[in-house]
Structures are given as C-alpha cells and as structure tokens.
Amino acid sequence: MTVSRSDTIGFPLSIQISSYITNPLTQTSMHQRIPFRASKEPIGNKLSSFHGLPLVLSDVYRKHPRSRYPVGYEVAGVVTETGPGVSNVTIGDSVVGIVSLGSHYSGCGEYCLLSEYDVVKKPDRLSYEEAVAGIGDCLKAYTAMYYQAHVCGGDTVLVIDGATSFGNVAIQLASLWGAKVISTASSNEERGILENLDTPIAQIIDLDQRSNILVSSVMEETGGVGVDVVVDNGVRQFNDEEDQKVVGENLRYPKPHKHDVISCLGASGKWITQQSSLQLDPPDCQRLFLRGGSVHFLFENIWTLAYSQHGRFQHILQDTIEKLERGTVKCKISKTFTLDDAVDAMKNLEEFRTGKVIVKI
C-alpha cells in the first residue's frame, strides 16, 4: 500500500501492511496483508462496495470520467517504504488510514498508495480488524457530531437508524460528549441491538409501526421543545407513489419524511443529512427559517479530497484510534470473508447494515 501526496502538501513513503479495507458508505470492511507505500501525491483508494457510490463518484470525476473505479476505503497494515520527506511514519510502523476517494489505485490489492496525512499509527493493543472496522464510521460520526453539529453537554440528539454501523458510533460519541440521545429502529432486531448497547438511549422509536410516529414521540420526549440535532440516514422526499417511482425512491427500510425531520428540530436546531439529492421547497425553507435552523450535508470523504485541513483530519484519526484502543468507542464486525468471496459479499451488503464486513487477503 503506497501513501503519497503532492509537492505542495508532502512527500512519499512506502509500507507493507496487514490491511483491512472498509467502505463507510456501505458499512463494509476488508482486511488484507499488503505492502503499504507512501509518497507525495494522494493516490491510494479502495472501495469494498459500490452501493450508493456511482452517483458520488460520477460527481467527483465529472471532468475526467472513468470506466472503472477501485474498491476499498479503510485500510490497515505495515509500512514497507517511505518517500523523501515523509516524517509522520517510518518503515515497519503499523498504520490504519482512509484512502482518498480521488485515488486511481485500489486499497484492495497487494500494494496501495496513500498520503501520509491519511494514515495514523495503530497501537499494538488494537487489532487490525478493530482498527479498520472503526476508523471510517468514527470519522463520519466525528465529522457530523463535532465539526458540523458542535454537540456538547445538555444537547438532545436524534440519530436515525441508530442500529446501523454508523448510527451506533454516532450514538456513542454523542453520549460521550454529554448529550441525551434518541434513536430509531426499523425492526425488532434493530431495537434489540439498541437496547443492548452500553450507551444509554432516552427513547427508541420504531419507524415500522406507523408513518407519523417520529414527530409525536420526539415532542413527547422533549416536552414539545424539539431536538438540538438530527442526524439522518437518508430521508423520503415524496409521498406520491408516482413521484417516488420517477426518482427511484424505493426504500427497503423505512425512512422519515423530510417534513418530519424539520418538525423534530427545536430552536436553532441542526439537521445533518446524508441525502445528497435533498430538495427543500420554499415552505420547508420557511419552517427552517422560523426555527433558526440549519442543514449540513455529511460527506466525510471531503477530508481526503480537500487538503486544506490536514491538522484537523489527523486529530480526528488520532483521537479515533485512541478511543478504539481504550474501548470508549466499540464497533461491531458482522462477518469476515476471504478475498475469493469478496465479490459475493459486496452483492449482499444490505444484509449486514448493523455491522462491518471484513475481507481478509
């Protein structure tokens, strides 16, 4: 696996690692024994699934479209070579990192190329599996809770689909920082997962019971005040079945309508959304305006695409690894596959939405 960066942002290095590759967009991880190399240009990318990615990738590569895209985002392993000027890691270091979405190279291979700013040293007490399973979701949750929502003690946070891999981490971080957490479940299995978490949850709302249960439950729990932060896992934008067919809004799991999300917000509430195609009509904007609310789009890959925030990105990675090592934040691994079974695993990623899938190479 090779780490690199451009002359304006750093220097190359090379490393051999036991690598785990995860896809934060699909809650998938892959583990492999690979050489890791770092150099001056950020060109290491690996995706473990294409679910939800074609639209994002087509936007990223709009000017220079590709016919094929690499797979595997999160990787971990051992440095085997470093380029001139690399100072953060040395040969033989165990590292874990995130491959840039703009990379030409896959993390799912014998070697991978990454920027030294996109990796952090892995503690000996933390296994490669635990490190790679947690790094992506922790980055995503950290971005949402800390840099976008500014969650602090006394806040009330609504996490949609809290039993998913990302939702689980978001709940843990919000609670760790002193917030009161409300979450939703889409099935009895997901409710059971939330009830068995070590992190206390004020209320679990079953979205599969009826469509209008979210707003009434939130208002009852908050005394009619609403929540300070909503973190969604996508939303419904249309009620009419014909409109839903036109835009392809065929949802396997129940999701709240965008109007319901806005209705759950309290004064100066923040809506952190993963709905990249979100459309807000004038009445929606009016309701947000009267609440003094705001909308933030959660796209954690911006950290590796825009190299203007190296210090903050490194802080997130380092703090994430420390929390994973201490067990302050725990991530669930649903299943482990071999590389030979990776393709079949990717076809059934939605079956493992409550945990990470790891592919060992």
Side-chain angles (χ1 to χ4, degrees), residues 226-246:
V227 298
D228 299 289
V229 179
V230 175
V231 181
D232 71 30
N233 189 30
V235 296
R236 288 188 297 111
Q237 303 195 71
F238 304 96
N239 289 319
D240 187 82
E241 292 184 1
E242 292 187 2
D243 292 338
Q244 293 176 357
K245 291 180 180 179
V246 170

Side-chain angles (χ1 to χ4, degrees), residues 19 28 111 117 205 237 251 282:
S19 163
T28 304
Y111 288 83
Y117 290 128
I205 304 170
Q237 303 195 71
L251 304 176

Side-chain angles (χ1 to χ4, degrees), residues 113-348:
L113 186 65
L114 286 173
S115 166
E116 69 166 324
Y117 290 128
D118 296 341
V119 300
V120 66
K121 293 181 181 179
K122 181 189 75 67
D124 294 336
R125 294 188 299 175
L126 183 65
S127 70
Y128 286 108
E129 291 90 345
E130 292 172 327
V132 79
I135 191 71
D137 284 328
C138 285
L139 171 64
K140 192 174 185 178
Y142 214 117
T143 303
M145 294 296 178
Y146 186 82
Y147 284 101
Q148 293 184 318
H150 306 292
V151 171
C152 59
D155 284 349
T156 302
V157 178
L158 171 61
V159 178
I160 306 296
D161 288 338
T164 62
S165 179
F166 161 69
N168 190 334
V169 176
I171 289 173
Q172 293 180 66
L173 286 181
S175 180
L176 182 65
W177 292 332
K180 173 184 177 181
V181 180
I182 303 172
S183 188
T184 69
S186 300
S187 64
N188 291 332
E189 178 187 359
E190 292 187 5
R191 168 173 274 277
I193 292 174
L194 293 174
E195 290 176 342
N196 291 325
L197 290 179
D198 295 333
T199 305
I201 300 178
Q203 184 177 3
I204 301 173
I205 304 170
D206 295 314
L207 291 183
D208 59 341
Q209 289 187 356
R210 63 178 192 272
S211 59
N212 62 345
I213 191 175
L214 181 64
V215 178
S216 60
S217 298
V218 167
M219 289 303 167
E220 180 181 357
E221 181 64 34
T222 61
V225 174
V227 298
D228 299 289
V229 179
V230 175
V231 181
D232 71 30
N233 189 30
V235 296
R236 288 188 297 111
Q237 303 195 71
F238 304 96
N239 289 319
D240 187 82
E241 292 184 1
E242 292 187 2
D243 292 338
Q244 293 176 357
K245 291 180 180 179
V246 170
V247 300
E249 197 173 82
N250 300 318
L251 304 176
R252 180 174 181 180
Y253 298 96
K255 293 185 183 297
H257 196 278
K258 59 183 179 181
H259 298 157
D260 294 336
V261 173
I262 296 174
S263 299
C264 289
L265 290 174
S268 301
K270 303 178 184 68
W271 176 10
I272 315 299
T273 182
Q274 299 184 63
Q275 187 73 36
S276 61
S277 60
L278 180 66
Q279 301 178 36
L280 295 180
D281 300 323
D284 300 326
C285 295
Q286 179 75 3
R287 296 172 69 190
L288 276 172
F289 173 79
L290 294 176
R291 284 173 165 80
S294 58
V295 179
H296 302 259
F297 288 90
L298 178 55
F299 182 59
E300 73 283 1
N301 293 289
I302 191 62
W303 292 106
T304 58
L305 291 174
Y307 282 86
S308 60
Q309 303 287 341
H310 285 152
R312 291 182 177 180
F313 185 34
Q314 276 286 301
H315 167 73
I316 295 175
L317 295 181
Q318 186 62 51
D319 193 53
T320 290
I321 290 300
E322 291 176 358
K323 285 180 169 57
L324 291 171
E325 180 190 18
R326 295 195 303 264
T328 306
V329 174
K330 300 177 182 179
C331 297
K332 178 183 176 182
I333 299 175
S334 292
K335 196 166 185 179
T336 301
F337 291 91
T338 63
L339 181 59
D340 294 337
D341 299 325
V343 175
D344 292 333
M346 292 179 189
K347 293 178 180 178
N348 302 299

